[in-house]
Amino acid sequence: MMKPLSLDRRIQSLFPIALASLLIIGTARLVLDNLQSNDSRVFRLYGWPRGEKHRLPIVISPKDRIDEGCNVFEGKWVWDNVSYPHYTEESCPFLVKQVTCQRNGRPDSFYKNWRWQPNECNLPRFDPLKLLQILRGKRLMFVGDSVQRAQFESMVCLVQSVIPKGKKSLRRVPPRKIFTIEEYDASIEYYWAPFIVESNSDHATNHTVKKRSVKLDSIAKHGKEWEGVDVLVFESYVWWMYKPLINATYGSPFDVKEYNVTTAYRLALETWANWIDTKINPHTQKVFFMSLSPTHLWNWEWKPGTGSDGNCFNESYPIQGPYWGTGCSHINLWGTQGQALDKGTEI
Ligand SMILES: *[C@@H]1O[C@H](CO)[C@@H](O)[C@H](O)[C@H]1NC(C)=O
Ligand SMILES: *[C@@H]1O[C@H](CO)[C@@H](O)[C@H](O)[C@H]1NC(C)=O
Ligand SMILES: *[C@@H]1O[C@H](CO)[C@@H](O)[C@H](O)[C@H]1NC(C)=O
Ligand SMILES: *[C@@H]1O[C@H](CO)[C@@H](O)[C@H](O)[C@H]1NC(C)=O
Ligand SMILES: *[C@@H]1O[C@H](CO)[C@@H](O)[C@H](O)[C@H]1NC(C)=O
Ligand SMILES: *[C@@H]1O[C@H](CO)[C@@H](O)[C@H](O)[C@H]1NC(C)=O
């Protein structure tokens, strides 16, 4: 994230926090850790732009901390019906219809109780009040595709129960969604940008899925909406991997060419990294990056050869061990430094 770093280094320095945002609790936890300037258990936040009166100490108790050196990316999903779920569909009024499985008729509920268990340590239980304290006077924004929208909705559901009625609201301002927490002068937001850079799929609801065309060197239009946001969480991957090639422009906006998706993804991330370098103040803003969600684009991946191809009906148990989905490229995008990316395959 610092100026002199090459893209390799920047990606790598962002990586440790990247995959954790796959875990709902991980996101919150790491935001928490990264806003913390010192190891002391009681600390003050200095230098945040808004709200002199809001500079209250935030208490981080020992049980909130993850052991230094614990690799939170290595672990497994365990079924836990004592501490999970954190929220239910009924308790959270802010979910879109697409993700309300129970209301849509899903009969089982086993899937609600999976908890990520790192091999070497325990994650503290998510504490909505602590997150709100940290978000006081700030904006947290998730940028990306529907994977990221799910992260946004989860985050809203995780915190909304502790906010009284009338003190919270969700507004749609396409391509943004803004959840406002009045008493904390804080917001949790979502910004639809499935390629991070500009594309012909940027309309929040009416976007082309099949005829994708990406502007690999254009980010200014989106970037304007991200400027000054205190915590930014970016994600993009699966939209690139639809086919081995993708139509894109680089340089002339009229010269549409087919690019290898790997090349295109790298060029787009370079555009993004340059934006970060010029627009982000590392002292007052935090940036997270998540990539490489397993692909899930083809129905024939389900139970191939069993006669029920093309149907995920009755799939209700997590796939154990590494899984990437067809066509998912976890090759070394960033040279030797990119090894860290391959580590992600363990999740
Ligand atoms: C943490 O704060 C203490 C006391 O203010 C200071 O002595 C120490 O250098 C700080 N540590 C870091 C890593 O900033
Ligand atoms: C958790 O699941 C077990 C086994 O299905 C069941 O016996 C127990 O009552 C459940 N506990 C809660 C709190 O739902
Ligand atoms: C959706 O977008 C397409 C292409 O830009 C346009 O032709 C169509 O009218 C739009 N539909 C709606 C409902 O806005
Ligand atoms: C795209 O580039 C990668 C890495 O250079 C290469 O492995 C892959 O075969 C290329 N794919 C196509 C369709 O050219
Ligand atoms: C790129 O666009 C052309 C013209 O619309 C189309 O024929 C081609 O299939 C597209 N390529 C990809 C990879 O989508
Ligand atoms: C779905 O799973 C249940 C429980 O394992 C089984 O009894 C049922 O036959 C399955 N249905 C289909 C259509 O595979």
Side-chain angles (χ1 to χ4, degrees), residues 299-312:
N299 55 359
W300 48 258
E301 284 190 301
W302 295 99
K303 297 177 221 145
T306 61
S308 67
D309 294 17
N311 194 338
C312 61

Side-chain angles (χ1 to χ4, degrees), residues 37-40:
S37 58
N38 201 304
D39 278 334
S40 59

Side-chain angles (χ1 to χ4, degrees), residues 102-205:
Q102 304 279 304
R103 241 172 289 162
N104 293 342
R106 181 166 181 165
D108 57 315
S109 58
F110 201 67
Y111 67 92
K112 293 179 184 176
N113 298 86
W114 295 100
R115 174 169 60 76
W116 180 250
Q117 178 62 58
N119 292 336
E120 295 161 13
C121 60
N122 294 320
L123 293 172
R125 189 178 159 83
F126 178 83
D127 182 340
L129 280 172
K130 237 158 227 169
L131 186 84
L132 287 175
Q133 277 178 298
I134 284 167
L135 275 186
R136 205 182 271 282
K138 297 189 185 65
R139 294 169 68 194
L140 160 64
M141 188 190 276
F142 294 88
V143 179
D145 60 24
S146 60
V147 173
Q148 191 74 318
R149 192 173 58 220
Q151 293 285 335
F152 160 78
E153 291 199 356
S154 285
M155 185 58 94
V156 168
C157 290
L158 281 167
V159 302
Q160 69 86 28
S161 63
V162 298
I163 309 160
K165 260 203 176 116
K167 302 284 186 188
K168 55 191 171 187
S169 61
L170 181 71
R171 274 186 301 146
R172 278 159 229 265
V173 191
R176 276 162 76 202
K177 287 185 171 187
I178 306 161
F179 180 71
T180 307
I181 308 139
E182 199 184 295
E183 274 176 34
Y184 287 81
D185 183 24
S187 64
I188 299 171
E189 306 176 28
Y190 169 68
Y191 188 101
W192 169 264
F195 294 98
I196 297 182
V197 292
E198 287 159 33
S199 75
N200 65 346
S201 304
D202 287 343
H203 193 285
T205 50

Side-chain angles (χ1 to χ4, degrees), residues 231-248:
V231 184
L232 280 159
V233 187
F234 291 94
E235 173 269 347
S236 179
Y237 184 72
V238 82
W239 275 68
W240 298 91
M241 300 303 155
Y242 182 55
K243 289 178 184 170
L245 298 171
I246 192 161
N247 276 321

Side-chain angles (χ1 to χ4, degrees), residues 31-49:
V31 165
L32 211 119
D33 260 7
N34 278 271
L35 289 177
Q36 202 175 324
S37 58
N38 201 304
D39 278 334
S40 59
R41 289 174 189 159
V42 178
F43 66 96
R44 283 164 190 275
L45 295 173
Y46 291 106
W48 294 98

